[in-house]
Amino acid sequence: MTIAFGNPDRPNSYIGKTVPRPNAPKLVQGRGRYVDDITLPRMVHVAFVRSPFAHARIKEIDSGQAQAVKGVLRIFTGADIAKVCTPWVGVLAHLKGLKSPPQHALAVDRATWVGEPVVAVVASTRAAAENAVALIDVDYDPLPAVTDTMTALDADTPLIHPDLGDNLAFQRLHEEGDVEAAMASAHKVVSAQFRTARHTGVTLEPRSILVDWNPAEGQMTAYHATQAPHMIQTVLATHLDLPESRVRVICGDVGGSYGIKVHVYPDEVATAAIARIMGRPVKFIADRLESFSTDIHARDHEIEAKIAVDAEGKILAIDVDDWTGIGPYSVYPRTSAIEGNQVVNLCGGPYEFANYRAKTTVVFQNKAPTCQYRAVGHPIAVAITEGLVDMAAAAIGMDPVEIRRRNMYADDCYPVTSPAKMRFEGLSHHASMTKLMEMMDYDALRADQAEARKQGKSRGIGIASFIELTNPSPFMYGIGGARISAQDGCTVRMDPDGSIVALSGVTEQGQGTEAMLSQVVAEGVGVSPSTVRVITGDTQVTPYGGGTWASRGAGIGGEAALQAARALRQSILEVAASMLQADPGALDIRDGQVVDSNSGAPRLPLEELGRIVYFRGDTLPKDLPRELVQTRHFITMDYPFAFTNGVQASYLEVDTETGVVTLLKHWCVEDCGRVINPQLVDEQIRGGIVQGLGGALYEEIHYDSDGQLLNGSMADYLVPMAAEMPDMIIGHVETPTAESELGAKGAGEAGTAGAPAAVMNAINDALRPLGGQITEMPFTPERILRALGTIED
């Protein structure tokens, strides 16, 4: 039976409708259960001595005074943990040339960034552990620190890891066509330097883990705020020498992730190792201050780029040279080279042109490690591409919308392969731009801008078209040897009262996964979402899956849920047909009732069918299948990724005397394929825009030349607040992927991908009459005034 998704004439069609989150009442009543809410018998706490130096040898550790602190139970050095926990190396085979040294849970011989864990103190309370940490005396021998990305490969720069031979972690050059010839023949060639500041996620709930080792059962249970429970299960089993079946990871409520909680952190692995050694539960909850120096950072890029266009505005070539610093290690197991690699893959994405050259150079440095964070590489690639397109439009006197129209892939040209060799199944750049123009009333907005300029107000309009990579296949990690699953699974069962339970490998991180899955399962079975109980984040009971990252929850996990739900539906109808002596094809399930498919007349409540199957199965034919539980897995096969697309616009005002930017309004049109829950999708886009605006205007991690973190607190690191945010208008175009029956792509990162470029272009649109241009994020008042020449360097 084929389900017509989103058909309003079908009584139990829930796809495309806003359905409340099932977990909302629990959360708003303060009844969420986070890792720090869990207390186990005999539980102890761990705190860490962290290196105060960016680079130093560890000579001696004196823990005598710390041992005497009341409540302190044990103190562990890196050598102690290394006896039970093997180191890891964060490389992927398909990223040719990527290298990184072995990393231990606690530093053994050297500390390589300010904040690296060196000693672990276990005590009966967190306070006692922290008191003892302050009394441990570590004798460090400071070493030269490498902090500047652009000089990391110079001959006179010290080597962070001498065994590797240089400070180069990874380099990739992609060339298509003849860039030099295209540049030479172009009507205009525009070049610019871009910089994206290093920043971090600042999740509401910090990183948290509680690990219990039960030696009697040989069982490790980790309560963990993570995005990928099965990945963590594999990591702990591998490095603590345990069978995967003896490691259980439970991920309950999570207070935000954004990619911060999808990585392997040394202090969290050390916590598990300590639990193994001590045979009792050990809890580690990062505090806000240590989060700034231990959570992964991202976006630390410096780029030189050029675009060539002809007299009609057609793009002839794009040339990108990207440099990024990743800290002293490539983060395991996803690696820190992925972001630079994504820049190469995504630059120029919306546009049809022939000549493309992009290079990324990834270097080691003595700063906190960087890795994947919401919209990996996307804001950088979009800022480069859209910034160059706007500059080219200005150089030839063309409207920025018109130049995009002339270069975007036609909506009916798919499938196509981009110059970066990305395969696009189906996108909607022109339809999205048309909808955006209607939503913002572009001509009227230009008139308002002109009127404001007459009044001495510098207002700007910025446009940013983008592509977004979602639903990754094994092409992203599996082919590189990483045990990170690209598939996901779902088990759906009907209980005796007719209610439905769905167990999914996709986790709930606050984005509404439970609501999405309840809708899909309800649609597939034929019941109300309110009767579907969704269980996620427990490796002992949920099917094996990749978890939540790269906007894969709906596209991968949702499709698995749909297939499992449909299989259960068919099982129910086979039993019902036998009981009713009817043809299964003549029956349907609607609102929890087996009904006549033509008339809709009720024939049998599901609770009655459940009673018979579970308690009076003797009344059914012996050979009748009666399994009211089904499991299905789904993995994408036809395309390496499901690309989405969209376009954003920003309207803002720049105070040219102070450099302060006031955001007036923001628009986003996104095509994420089939929209399952409009409210959830819009919330995801708005949340992503806020994080994108944070990177564009406020967020920047500062280090000094010695590798000391200068603004590692909420007093000094700016994040966007509600008062600074503009009204955000969200619209959609739907181009479902044909690779799944659900047709869903991802929506979680589109807002972050396009927002910084839209703001940058709007600021430059406002500054252009005054001769100013800015390309260094965040676009602070100081940098704007420098661009205007009001203050000097």
Side-chain angles (χ1 to χ4, degrees):
M1 180 181 297
T2 300
I3 296 178
F5 288 118
N7 181 357
D9 297 327
R10 181 179 169 80
N12 64 336
S13 178
Y14 297 104
I15 303 299
K17 295 181 179 178
T18 292
V19 173
R21 300 184 183 207
N23 62 341
K26 173 185 70 174
L27 296 178
V28 299
Q29 292 177 41
R31 295 179 179 272
R33 189 171 186 250
Y34 300 89
V35 173
D36 203 22
D37 294 322
I38 301 170
T39 301
L40 301 179
R42 303 178 64 246
M43 186 180 79
V44 294
H45 299 259
V46 62
F48 295 93
V49 176
R50 299 187 182 276
S51 173
F53 295 99
H55 197 193
R57 288 190 185 90
I58 301 168
K59 296 174 67 177
E60 293 185 19
I61 298 173
D62 182 356
S63 59
Q65 292 186 66
Q67 292 278 9
V69 173
K70 183 177 180 180
V72 170
L73 303 174
R74 290 191 65 171
I75 295 175
F76 295 89
T77 65
D80 297 328
I81 300 299
K83 293 175 183 177
V84 300
C85 181
T86 58
W88 51 86
V89 179
V91 298
L92 292 169
H94 65 298
L95 297 182
K96 302 299 182 183
L98 172 61
K99 60 182 186 281
S100 185
Q103 183 178 8
H104 287 270
L106 296 182
V108 176
D109 299 314
R110 286 184 305 134
T112 53
W113 84 88
V114 172
E116 182 172 10
V118 175
V119 183
V121 177
V122 182
S124 56
T125 66
R126 169 76 184 210
E130 289 183 347
N131 289 340
V133 160
L135 296 174
I136 290 179
D137 183 17
V138 181
D139 185 9
Y140 294 98
D141 180 14
L143 297 169
V146 178
T147 57
D148 180 46
T149 297
M150 303 308 294
T151 62
L153 301 184
D154 289 357
D156 58 349
T157 298
L159 299 184
I160 299 175
H161 306 291
D163 291 346
L164 298 183
D166 54 33
N167 290 325
L168 179 66
F170 175 68
Q171 194 168 67
R172 177 190 170 196
L173 172 64
H174 178 84
E175 292 184 280
E176 189 76 12
D178 191 337
V179 171
E180 296 299 337
M183 294 282 177
S185 65
H187 174 68
K188 286 286 184 181
V189 175
V190 178
S191 62
Q193 292 182 324
F194 298 88
R195 184 177 182 276
T196 55
R198 173 182 278 246
H199 55 267
T200 189
V202 196
T203 56
L204 187 61
E205 175 202 27
R207 292 187 297 107
S208 307
I209 189 168
L210 165 59
V211 185
D212 183 17
W213 168 250
N214 185 334
E217 296 182 352
Q219 173 76 32
M220 175 171 283
T221 301
Y223 302 87
H224 194 195
T226 178
Q227 297 172 239
H230 283 102
M231 183 197 82
I232 295 297
Q233 175 192 34
T234 297
V235 167
L236 295 181
T238 299
H239 295 284
L240 296 174
D241 193 24
L242 296 168
E244 289 190 31
S245 61
R246 293 294 181 176
V247 178
R248 180 184 186 185
V249 177
I250 300 173
C251 174
D253 292 318
V254 177
S257 293
Y258 320 128
I260 295 295
K261 296 173 183 172
V262 79
H263 306 292
V264 171
Y265 288 92
D267 47 20
E268 294 176 3
V269 178
T271 301
I274 291 168
R276 177 87 188 272
I277 293 169
M278 297 185 68
R280 61 193 301 177
V282 182
K283 179 186 281 189
F284 166 62
I285 309 294
D287 67 32
R288 183 59 65 194
L289 291 177
E290 66 186 328
S291 292
F292 275 102
S293 62
T294 63
D295 288 2
I296 63 105
H297 296 171
R299 312 278 204 255
D300 191 1
H301 290 251
E302 298 188 41
I303 308 107
E304 290 190 4
K306 294 188 291 186
I307 188 171
V309 296
D310 66 16
E312 284 71 47
K314 285 290 292 180
I315 297 173
L316 302 178
I318 292 178
D319 189 3
V320 176
D321 186 10
D322 168 59
W323 284 68
T324 181
I326 62 167
Y329 297 97
S330 173
V331 176
Y332 179 72
R334 295 170 186 272
T335 84
S336 302
I338 288 290
E339 185 168 80
N341 198 58
Q342 293 286 69
V343 172
V344 173
N345 289 339
L346 298 172
C347 278
Y351 304 114
E352 184 176 10
F353 61 100
N355 306 291
Y356 179 58
R357 179 169 59 206
K359 182 180 181 181
T360 187
T361 301
V362 181
V363 301
F364 294 116
Q365 54 185 186
N366 292 116
K367 298 179 181 179
T370 72
C371 206
Q372 285 95 307
Y373 170 60
R374 192 174 193 169
V376 185
H378 291 65
I380 302 150
V382 177
I384 296 167
T385 304
E386 297 301 290
L388 289 175
V389 168
D390 254 34
M391 293 172 197
I396 63 174
M398 184 175 289
D399 182 83
V401 173
E402 178 60 25
I403 196 172
R404 288 171 171 82
R405 288 285 200 190
R406 294 188 181 194
N407 288 283
M408 293 187 299
Y409 284 107
D411 290 354
D412 61 357
C413 75
Y414 298 96
V416 296
T417 300
S418 76
K421 297 303 182 186
M422 295 292 101
R423 294 170 55 205
F424 302 146
E425 176 196 8
L427 302 173
S428 60
H429 293 298
H430 288 275
S432 297
M433 184 66 79
T434 298
K435 185 153 192 172
L436 177 73
M437 294 296 100
E438 295 170 353
M439 286 167 48
M440 63 190 297
D441 196 350
Y442 184 70
D443 292 339
L445 208 62
R446 283 293 182 195
D448 182 77
Q449 178 191 34
E451 184 61 31
R453 285 178 175 172
K454 292 178 183 177
Q455 300 172 19
K457 298 177 181 178
S458 295
R459 291 186 176 180
I461 301 170
I463 307 291
S465 189
F466 62 89
I467 57 173
E468 179 195 358
L469 182 154
T470 75
N471 296 4
S473 73
F475 182 83
M476 191 163 195
Y477 294 116
I479 64 171
R483 294 172 68 84
I484 299 171
S485 183
Q487 71 160 18
D488 233 291
C490 187
T491 296
V492 181
R493 77 167 188 260
M494 190 187 92
D495 283 346
D497 65 351
S499 61
I500 306 296
V501 177
L503 300 98
S504 173
V506 177
T507 57
E508 170 67 66
Q509 308 283 314
Q511 77 278 50
T513 292
E514 292 182 15
M516 178 273 294
L517 290 173
S518 70
Q519 287 178 255
V520 172
V521 170
E523 179 88 8
V525 176
V527 298
S528 166
S530 63
T531 67
V532 179
R533 174 77 167 96
V534 176
I535 296 173
T536 66
D538 187 339
T539 61
Q540 188 164 282
V541 299
T542 61
Y544 201 98
T548 297
W549 47 275
S551 297
R552 65 186 300 279
I556 306 294
E559 180 66 16
L562 178 65
Q563 293 182 9
R566 285 183 168 178
L568 176 61
R569 177 195 193 90
Q570 190 59 38
S571 297
I572 294 171
L573 290 178
E574 287 182 16
V575 174
S578 175
M579 294 172 64
L580 299 171
Q581 298 184 356
D583 181 354
L587 300 174
D588 195 6
I589 304 175
R590 300 174 189 170
D591 294 327
Q593 294 263 357
V594 177
V595 301
D596 182 273
S597 59
N598 291 324
S599 67
R603 298 290 305 276
L604 182 68
L606 290 186
E607 60 186 32
E608 177 61 14
L609 184 144
R611 184 186 71 82
I612 296 296
V613 169
Y614 285 107
F615 308 121
R616 289 305 310 273
D618 59 297
T619 65
L620 299 173
K622 280 187 177 182
D623 59 349
L624 178 68
R626 59 188 76 182
E627 298 297 329
L628 300 186
V629 56
Q630 296 288 340
T631 299
R632 294 293 185 272
H633 288 80
F634 177 71
I635 189 170
T636 53
M637 299 288 287
D638 298 334
Y639 289 85
F641 311 101
F643 278 95
T644 75
N645 70 273
V647 59
Q648 294 191 38
S650 176
Y651 190 40
L652 53 78
E653 184 172 314
V654 180
D655 186 326
T656 56
E657 292 185 0
T658 65
V660 171
V661 173
T662 301
L663 300 169
L664 302 176
K665 207 162 190 179
H666 199 97
W667 299 262
C668 178
V669 175
E670 197 221 13
D671 185 345
C672 62
R674 184 80 65 195
V675 174
I676 298 172
N677 186 315
Q679 185 180 67
L680 290 181
V681 172
D682 288 359
E683 287 176 355
Q684 280 288 289
I685 293 172
R686 288 190 177 95
I689 289 171
V690 169
Q691 284 189 288
L693 295 177
L697 295 173
Y698 307 108
E699 299 184 54
E700 181 172 18
I701 291 281
H702 290 279
Y703 282 89
D704 68 13
S705 60
D706 294 322
Q708 291 293 326
L709 179 60
L710 300 178
N711 62 330
S713 75
M714 294 301 291
D716 301 306
Y717 181 87
L718 299 181
V719 293
M721 305 290 282
E724 286 93 37
M725 292 299 98
D727 287 341
M728 302 177 200
I729 312 301
I730 312 300
H732 299 281
V733 173
E734 292 189 60
T735 307
T737 174
E739 193 158 1
S740 68
E741 294 182 61
L742 188 59
K745 304 175 187 177
E749 297 169 289
T752 307
V759 168
M760 177 180 69
N761 286 343
I763 293 172
N764 287 333
D765 186 49
L767 299 184
R768 193 165 287 118
L770 304 174
Q773 179 171 284
I774 186 167
T775 55
E776 182 176 357
M777 294 187 207
F779 309 118
T780 61
E782 179 183 0
R783 287 174 179 149
I784 289 174
L785 293 177
R786 290 187 190 281
L788 291 171
T790 305
I791 58 176
E792 298 180 357
D793 292 332

